[in-house]
Amino acid sequence: MRLDEIYDSIKKKFPIHSVNGSAGMARPVQWVHMVEDLEVAEYINGNELIFTTGIADYEESWLLKFVQRLHENHASGLVVNIGPYIEKIPDNVKEYGRKHEFALMEMPWEVHLVDVFKYISTLLLDQEKRKAGIVNAMKDALFYASDHGIYKSELERYGYDLNHKFCPILLDMKMVPEHEREVLAASLEDVLSFYFARIIVFKFNQYIVIILYCADKGQILECCEKVQKYEKQNASFWMKAAAAGPNLNGVEHLPGSYQIAKEMIDLAEKSGQKQLIYDDIGIYQLLVTNPEKDALKKYAEQKLKNLMDYDMENQTDYVRILRTYLETDCSVQETARREFCHRNTINHRIHQIKEILGKRTIGIHDKVELMMAFAILDLEKK
């Protein structure tokens, strides 16, 4: 649950005031603790909302050091119980909070903190139940779509408009031990929820599944960038590939988008790419959505079989040269540069390739057909 959500709720019941406005209020909160000692602040787990009365205050600069320590150990924020030990939050502490986007709040001494703790704990537990309900409903939408009456009513109960856009993002985590994937999914959700208020993250088999709701392409790209950044900062987060499927209106399209994302994961791994976005894969959109895989394979073989057979029989590399030639817009000079050959050598080999394929020239329609065949082969790679 985000800190701003907790703050909006408790301020209706208790006198609490944010001294730095919205700075740091988007951070996730997992639990609430009372901490009075500077040393104890070293041992928080992170994502806790901390309360203090200042009863253990040993010097005037204690509160600033305390806030610095909490921020360094990834606390969600600090609520200061204003009273006999701390009369007000000093300006230098407020400035630190603004600079580092660390949330600071004040609550008067007269408030019974035990009642506040009980109220926040109930909020967090209810949020955990709500989150579990949403994840279960999303899993039903993905894998048991025939029981649409159940998952649709559940998602609507949790405030989802079923006609809005839903985008699945799959992270292939098969290189990570299974028992660690659940922990990594929860940790990643804490990070992403700071930027995306309605994001859903869960583990399923070898994947970590992310569902974006009401997102545009910019937000999809931003989410993928955040995942890559998280991977770089966490050695245990070993992601083999990532794929963002089609971002379509209507939850009923989510299962199909998920299956396309799985196809894209395979394509990414076979082509040596780390990440694919459906809107950016061009002609592959037609291929990953085509259920007739045997027909696609037959088409590719029909277009390239003679050349593949010639390579096998003569130990040549004409298939690769043809692809380079097509990818360079049929530039002999650029093909020669990439293949480390003289342009006359490439001219001679292209002439032979045309003869093997039974073509006098390679025109625009030939280019489309051959590039389609190469794209199909990419999907067929093992």
Side-chain angles (χ1 to χ4, degrees), residues 88 125 142 175 198 343 362:
K88 67 174 184 177
L125 290 172
L142 285 169
M175 306 302 292
R198 276 189 168 262
R343 58 176 293 131
I362 297 179

Side-chain angles (χ1 to χ4, degrees), residues 202-269:
F202 59 89
K203 178 195 80 73
F204 184 76
N205 293 338
Q206 72 193 54
Y207 303 111
I208 288 179
V209 181
I210 301 170
I211 306 293
L212 286 177
Y213 171 70
C214 272
D216 56 27
K217 183 177 179 180
Q219 290 170 315
I220 294 170
L221 292 172
E222 182 185 1
C223 182
C224 292
E225 288 170 2
K226 299 295 184 189
V227 170
Q228 289 184 329
K229 182 178 179 180
Y230 181 81
E231 181 186 28
K232 291 177 182 177
Q233 296 172 344
N234 294 269
S236 60
F237 195 89
W238 194 359
M239 181 178 70
K240 192 169 176 72
N247 185 30
L248 301 177
N249 286 306
V251 71
E252 67 272 11
H253 297 298
L254 196 53
S257 294
Y258 177 87
Q259 291 302 320
I260 290 171
K262 284 182 65 177
E263 293 272 359
M264 291 169 60
I265 285 281
D266 290 341
L267 174 61
E269 294 176 2

